[in-house]
Amino acid sequence: MNEAPLATAVTRPGQEVTLTIVEVEAPHRLVWEGGSPDALLGRHAFVLTQQPDTTTEFTDSEEFYGPAAPDLVPALGQLTDRSAQYGAALRTRVEHLAD
């Protein structure tokens, strides 16, 4: 059975982006992308990897493509602090769920 990709719109002030799930390897990997290949297309991946000590490594990555990527990607570096805050909050939440 062929299923259409799952898509949702995310709206921020002055910006609407449709995110489409393009890859799922449950329960280890989820990838979505959004934007336009004619301007800027972003691909965001979440990967869970079981470690030998039974912990789980979480990898959150983004890649950007398109003609606007060389100009816009350096500006996205400003999001590093927010990304670190997100990661810390996620870790705290997951650790509390394990208790």
Side-chain angles (χ1 to χ4, degrees):
M1 174 167 110
N2 289 336
E3 294 184 25
L6 178 63
T8 187
V10 176
T11 303
R12 294 182 181 164
Q15 176 186 16
E16 182 175 323
V17 176
T18 299
L19 303 173
T20 303
I21 296 176
V22 295
E23 185 179 336
V24 176
E25 294 175 24
H28 305 288
R29 182 175 172 84
L30 174 70
V31 181
W32 74 56
E33 63 182 33
S36 167
D38 297 332
L40 180 68
L41 179 69
R43 181 172 274 227
H44 198 119
F46 301 95
V47 179
L48 300 171
T49 307
Q50 182 82 32
Q51 300 299 300
D53 65 358
T54 71
T55 61
T56 301
E57 178 182 69
F58 171 70
T59 304
D60 179 359
S61 63
E62 291 181 305
E63 297 175 288
F64 297 93
Y65 309 92
D71 295 327
L72 294 176
V73 170
L76 294 174
Q78 298 170 10
L79 299 177
T80 302
D81 289 341
R82 290 188 72 175
S83 182
Q85 291 170 355
Y86 161 74
L90 178 62
R91 180 181 186 139
T92 299
R93 176 73 175 133
V94 170
E95 287 174 345
H96 281 68
L97 289 173
D99 291 341

